[in-house]
Amino acid sequence: MAVDYAVIVVYLAGMLGMGWWGMRRAKSKSEFLVAGRRLGPAMYSGTMAAIVLGGASTIGGVGLGYKHGLSGAWMVLTIGFGLLALSVLFSARIARLKVYTVSEMLDLRYGGRAGLISGLVMWAYTLMLAVTSTIAYATIFDVLFDVNRTLSIVLGGAVVVAYSTLGGMWSITLTDMVQFVVKTVGVLLILLPVAVVKAGGWSEMRAELPDEYFAPLGIGGETIFTYVLIYTFGMLIGQDIWQRVFTARSDKVARWGGTAAGTYCLVYAVAGAVIGTAAKVLYPNLANPDDAFALIVKDELPMGARGLVLAAALAAVMSTSSGALIACATVANNDIWSKLRGLGSGAGAGAADAGAAGSAADEPHDEVKGNRVFILAMGIAVVAIAIALNDVVQALTVAYNLLVGGLLVPILGGLLWKRGTVQGALAAVAVGGLAVIGLMASYGILATEPVYYGLLSSLAAYVVVSLLTRPTDEAILAHWRERLAGRDGDGEPVPAATAADPGAKTPV
């Protein structure tokens, strides 16, 4: 195992080194939060694929393949479908807005009064996403070094917090590119063929396992539909995903780079399910399907390759964890703290949003320092919650239910329906979010009903309240159209709450 340990140690040291390098690049708010909006197609595709394919997609995807066979690919497939839909239908418009958060987009569209409540919901989602990714370190480090759960979480979390705090999105982008390569080599090029060969080949797998393991819909239609609602729609509106869209240097990069990343997700989904199916042949009686990944790596791979594939699992977790962490900190600083600070000073919504975007007089280094403080604070909170929390699935389910039930309708409604109003958006967030929470308490956290009925109630509230209230002011809509077209909107009345940040106007 000495060679495997060396591979992991070198990998972790490399992540910290890239954090230090990224610190030298991140000299402004735009550089720190969205990599200066300068990523080309190769880096954009790699980092986008890295963030959406985390520990759940890797370890969990193999576990679903172990339990259900090829249809276990559906969870990761729906992630890929969501990324494809986002890239083809919305990413170009999102990239042209030149904002930093989803809530800033809502303020632009509705006139500056929807950001705080939507920011709270988005913050809860990104926080729990970061927590669940951090918990996954316990499984990986236990296999690697046989250390206890708390130490595993602290070790993995400390590395991610360190490089994210140092260099922000530049560090995360660089590390994600390495993680993308490591995952591709480790999972697709090494583990996949080895697993199939060790299981006796495709014909032996077919002979050993029942036919339902090879049925495309074997996991069940209701489960697939739930995956679509949670993961496909979640990809369309998550701050962690949008923040990567904001890094694209042009809307063309956002569209085609994201399409490439989504296609990669589909391949990764099938690979994980096949590996899990092969593991079922090799280890037919595992009590926990999620143990399949670690066991097949530990028992079937040669020295060196084993370390690389475990590094791939670690890379999957780190990429999602770092992306969720910077998203959580960005929302906390830009959408919550700055608005509360503005309200507390009696400056009103306009000053609050101006604080969120940063005034022209702000020093770039002060902007970077403030965001670093928030990443560090959120990182410490994430590690502490991860140590205290045991049930990863429940935490992730709560996060996605709140995200989809509370924010899907006002976000997509703002992009697609001119008649939607700020009152309708606020009603949709409140009604959908409260419905999801109440139904989870009634039906159970893992039930499917909360997200179904929460989404329907959010849609009903949005449409009814929007139609009953005054249409959005034409000046706000005119400015919105200008920003969607990639123009700053000079000459149009700009609502005070939506004044653009100078750092957001980096040329593309």
Side-chain angles (χ1 to χ4, degrees), residues 367-411:
E367 290 280 355
V368 172
K369 181 180 178 181
N371 282 289
R372 277 202 179 104
V373 169
F374 268 87
I375 290 180
L376 180 60
M378 291 298 104
I380 293 171
V382 163
V383 170
I385 296 170
I387 291 171
L389 196 64
N390 287 317
D391 198 321
V392 180
V393 174
Q394 289 197 4
L396 192 61
T397 301
V398 170
Y400 271 102
N401 282 353
L402 282 173
L403 177 70
V404 174
L407 291 182
L408 178 70
V409 169
I411 291 172

Side-chain angles (χ1 to χ4, degrees), residues 64 203 338 426:
L64 286 172
S203 58
S338 61
L426 291 171

Side-chain angles (χ1 to χ4, degrees), residues 207-219:
E208 288 288 329
L209 298 173
D211 289 342
E212 54 262 31
Y213 262 71
F214 302 91
L217 305 179
I219 199 170

Side-chain angles (χ1 to χ4, degrees), residues 251-343:
D251 53 7
K252 186 176 181 180
V253 168
R255 181 184 295 112
W256 294 110
T259 300
T263 303
Y264 178 89
C265 290
L266 304 184
V267 175
Y268 200 87
V270 175
V274 171
I275 292 168
T277 305
K280 182 67 175 179
V281 175
L282 295 168
Y283 312 100
N285 300 310
L286 291 181
N288 182 5
D290 286 344
D291 291 338
F293 179 88
L295 275 175
I296 200 168
V297 170
K298 198 173 183 180
D299 295 346
E300 308 300 338
L301 293 182
M303 183 173 58
R306 183 169 51 225
L308 183 61
V309 174
L310 287 172
L314 191 59
V317 175
M318 282 188 161
S319 56
T320 301
S321 181
S322 59
L325 176 59
I326 193 172
C328 178
T330 303
V331 170
N333 189 13
N334 286 260
D335 297 334
I336 300 174
W337 170 245
S338 61
K339 287 182 171 61
L340 293 176
R341 184 178 57 190
L343 292 173

Side-chain angles (χ1 to χ4, degrees), residues 107 116 161 262 267 304 399 425 452 500:
D107 276 348
L116 181 57
V161 172
V267 175
Y452 294 167

Side-chain angles (χ1 to χ4, degrees), residues 72-90:
W74 273 105
M75 183 186 78
V76 184
L77 284 174
T78 56
I79 291 174
F81 293 150
L83 187 51
L84 286 170
L86 174 69
S87 301
V88 173
L89 300 176
F90 302 111

Side-chain angles (χ1 to χ4, degrees), residues 128-468:
M128 295 313 298
L129 183 61
V131 167
T132 55
S133 301
T134 303
I135 290 173
Y137 295 129
T139 302
I140 298 170
F141 279 104
D142 180 55
V143 174
L144 290 174
F145 304 118
D146 193 26
V147 295
N148 68 52
R149 179 180 183 275
T150 298
L151 184 58
S152 298
I153 290 172
V154 171
L155 178 60
V159 173
V160 169
V161 172
Y163 73 69
S164 300
T165 302
L166 285 172
M169 187 59 81
W170 269 121
S171 294
I172 293 170
T173 296
L174 293 170
T175 54
D176 277 358
M177 279 304 298
V178 174
Q179 290 158 357
F180 171 74
V181 173
V182 170
K183 281 192 287 191
T184 301
V185 174
V187 175
L188 298 185
L189 302 184
I190 295 178
L191 186 58
L192 175 60
V194 168
V196 173
V197 169
K198 292 289 185 178
W202 191 254
S203 58
E204 182 66 20
M205 290 164 61
R206 290 299 302 261
E208 288 288 329
L209 298 173
D211 289 342
E212 54 262 31
Y213 262 71
F214 302 91
L217 305 179
I219 199 170
E222 184 178 354
T223 299
I224 295 171
F225 182 66
T226 302
Y227 284 158
V228 170
L229 275 184
I230 293 177
Y231 296 113
T232 300
F233 287 142
M235 288 296 107
L236 295 179
I237 59 175
Q239 169 67 24
D240 51 325
I241 310 302
W242 276 42
Q243 199 156 345
R244 297 310 173 96
V245 176
F246 301 151
T247 66
R249 73 182 178 205
S250 68
D251 53 7
K252 186 176 181 180
V253 168
R255 181 184 295 112
W256 294 110
T259 300
T263 303
Y264 178 89
C265 290
L266 304 184
V267 175
Y268 200 87
V270 175
V274 171
I275 292 168
T277 305
K280 182 67 175 179
V281 175
L282 295 168
Y283 312 100
N285 300 310
L286 291 181
N288 182 5
D290 286 344
D291 291 338
F293 179 88
L295 275 175
I296 200 168
V297 170
K298 198 173 183 180
D299 295 346
E300 308 300 338
L301 293 182
M303 183 173 58
R306 183 169 51 225
L308 183 61
V309 174
L310 287 172
L314 191 59
V317 175
M318 282 188 161
S319 56
T320 301
S321 181
S322 59
L325 176 59
I326 193 172
C328 178
T330 303
V331 170
N333 189 13
N334 286 260
D335 297 334
I336 300 174
W337 170 245
S338 61
K339 287 182 171 61
L340 293 176
R341 184 178 57 190
L343 292 173
S345 66
D353 285 302
S359 69
D362 285 339
E363 291 290 335
H365 288 280
D366 291 339
E367 290 280 355
V368 172
K369 181 180 178 181
N371 282 289
R372 277 202 179 104
V373 169
F374 268 87
I375 290 180
L376 180 60
M378 291 298 104
I380 293 171
V382 163
V383 170
I385 296 170
I387 291 171
L389 196 64
N390 287 317
D391 198 321
V392 180
V393 174
Q394 289 197 4
L396 192 61
T397 301
V398 170
Y400 271 102
N401 282 353
L402 282 173
L403 177 70
V404 174
L407 291 182
L408 178 70
V409 169
I411 291 172
L412 294 189
L415 289 169
L416 300 174
W417 192 38
K418 178 182 176 181
R419 187 60 180 82
T421 67
V422 65
Q423 293 87 355
L426 291 171
V429 175
V431 171
L434 291 174
V436 164
I437 293 170
L439 290 168
M440 284 192 294
S442 176
Y443 285 97
I445 288 176
L446 299 181
T448 57
E449 287 85 357
V451 71
Y452 294 167
Y453 299 135
L455 191 55
L456 289 174
S457 63
S458 179
L459 177 61
Y462 182 71
V463 172
V464 170
V465 174
S466 291
L467 292 175
L468 292 176

